[in-house]
């Protein structure tokens, strides 16, 4: 809940009132929240909780490729943050190309990026690419492909 409040406050900026439209634009629906929770757990290298969260997500309506996409987006953000040559906050937000309502992501990336080296993040991108190919090839079940991916990412 505190993260959602932070996002809303960042989105409305100096405005004193928050409108229903603001909440609808910024608030994350339950299933999407689970995917964002999943990427946080992977970045924190908490394999056990990440796998339990994946289980919940797969019971919902998110497709395996959608899950892989959101994990990829997060790791691309981490990679771009790691490769950012400066250390100033405002510059990072611009460098990442984040919209005003997604500034909270720069903070999250800044906190999580220390869990990975640059070569590890590059390896993560390779793993994510391969998992997407595997999901499309039907060589294994999507659940197994994603479980192996999560295990590998959280053990980088």
């Amino acid at each position: 809940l505190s993260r959602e409040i932070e996002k809303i406050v960042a989105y409305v900026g100096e405005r004193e009132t928050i409108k229903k439209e603001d909440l609808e634009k910024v608030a994350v629906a339950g299933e999407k929240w689970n995917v964002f929770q999943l990427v946080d757990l992977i970045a924190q290298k908490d394999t056990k909780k990440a796998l339990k969260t994946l289980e919940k997500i797969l019971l919902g309506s998110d497709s395996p490729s959608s899950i892989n996409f959101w994990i990829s987006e997060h790791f691309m953000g981490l990679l771009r943050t790691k490769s950012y040559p400066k250390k100033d906050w405002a510059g990072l937000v611009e460098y990442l190309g984040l919209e005003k309502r997604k500034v909270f992501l720069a903070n999250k990336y800044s906190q999580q990026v220390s869990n990975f080296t640059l070569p590890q993040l590059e390896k993560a991108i390779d793993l994510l690419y391969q998992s997407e190919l595997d999901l499309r090839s039907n060589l294994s079940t999507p659940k197994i492909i994603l479980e192996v991916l999560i295990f590998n990412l959280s053990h980088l």
Side-chain angles (χ1 to χ4, degrees):
L1 186 56
S2 65
R3 287 184 189 169
E4 293 300 311
I5 293 170
E6 285 176 24
K7 287 190 291 185
I8 292 165
V9 170
Y11 180 75
V12 298
E14 298 296 319
R15 227 179 337 129
E16 291 188 22
T17 58
I18 297 173
K19 300 175 184 175
K20 181 181 177 186
E21 296 81 30
D22 297 327
L23 296 173
E24 290 170 348
K25 288 180 182 175
V26 178
V28 178
E31 289 178 10
K32 286 291 179 244
W33 179 83
N34 282 334
V35 174
F36 296 129
Q37 182 183 30
L38 174 63
V39 294
D40 286 346
L41 291 167
I42 295 168
Q44 295 163 10
K45 302 189 178 198
D46 191 338
T47 309
K48 186 175 179 180
K49 286 183 183 176
L51 290 171
K52 285 183 181 183
T53 302
L54 174 66
E55 192 76 36
K56 291 178 194 173
I57 294 168
L58 290 174
L59 293 174
S61 61
D62 276 352
S63 72
S65 281
S66 172
I67 296 166
N68 196 69
F69 169 80
W70 288 111
I71 297 170
S72 298
E73 280 289 300
H74 193 80
F75 273 85
M76 284 301 297
L78 289 172
L79 179 62
R80 287 192 310 270
T81 301
K82 190 71 156 184
S83 63
Y84 179 58
K86 301 176 186 174
K87 300 297 176 207
D88 64 299
W89 172 259
L92 176 61
V93 171
E94 185 178 328
Y95 178 77
L96 294 173
L98 295 173
E99 301 169 20
K100 182 180 177 183
R101 66 186 176 96
K102 294 184 179 178
V103 170
F104 72 96
L105 282 174
N107 184 40
K108 183 176 294 228
Y109 295 150
S110 295
Q111 293 169 358
Q112 294 176 349
V113 76
S114 63
N115 294 338
F116 301 94
T117 64
L118 189 58
Q120 287 174 323
L121 289 169
E122 291 168 347
K123 174 72 174 168
I125 301 305
D126 289 341
L127 291 169
L128 286 153
Y129 176 73
Q130 185 59 52
S131 67
E132 186 60 28
L133 292 177
D134 292 346
L135 287 168
R136 292 172 188 242
S137 71
N138 296 321
L139 293 175
S140 184
T141 65
K143 180 181 181 209
I144 302 241
I145 293 167
L146 291 172
E147 286 174 340
V148 169
L149 172 67
I150 289 168
F151 180 86
N152 288 333
L153 290 174
S154 62
H155 284 85
L156 287 174

